[in-house]
Amino acid sequence: MNALDALGNPIRREILIELRRTPMPVGTLADRFAVSRPAISRHLRVLQDAGLVVSSERGAQNIYAIRVQGFRSVREFIDSFWDVALSRLEELAKK
């Protein structure tokens, strides 16, 4: 899945905000949301497929963390709009 598509869901964005603070297991994340643990697991799977999170085993738990490199495509997409906006601003300034 594309990173931008994964970010289209508000729960997934909230999961990323939680993981930005600290890596955590599914159960801890699920306790912070009004959806089931299996639903959180499905959202994490989408985020992982998009390259936005990574998991590691710690005992019997999977610990999820932000994968900063996964946001590169998102940043490049957004930056492309700034390039256009700055070019237009430069053209207006020349007039």
Side-chain angles (χ1 to χ4, degrees):
M1 172 173 279
N2 180 292
L4 285 168
D5 293 332
L7 291 171
N9 182 284
I11 292 176
R12 289 195 281 270
R13 291 192 304 269
E14 288 296 321
I15 288 171
L16 290 170
I17 289 167
E18 292 294 327
L19 291 176
R20 185 173 57 188
R21 294 182 186 130
T22 185
M24 60 184 80
V26 178
T28 303
L29 273 168
D31 291 343
R32 297 168 186 232
F33 292 90
V35 296
S36 68
R37 182 179 173 157
I40 295 297
S41 291
R42 287 190 297 274
H43 284 298
L44 285 166
R45 194 170 313 115
V46 169
L47 291 168
Q48 192 166 15
D49 289 346
L52 299 174
V53 299
V54 63
S55 68
S56 59
E57 290 184 19
R58 188 182 304 157
Q61 293 182 323
N62 283 326
I63 307 298
Y64 287 85
I66 295 288
R67 184 176 171 272
V68 176
Q69 303 90 331
F71 288 88
R72 183 174 307 152
S73 64
V74 175
R75 182 175 182 160
E76 288 170 357
F77 179 77
I78 292 169
D79 284 350
S80 71
F81 287 92
W82 283 112
D83 291 344
V84 171
L86 291 174
S87 293
R88 288 182 183 164
L89 183 61
E90 183 179 19
E91 287 175 22
L92 287 172
K94 288 179 181 178
K95 292 179 181 180

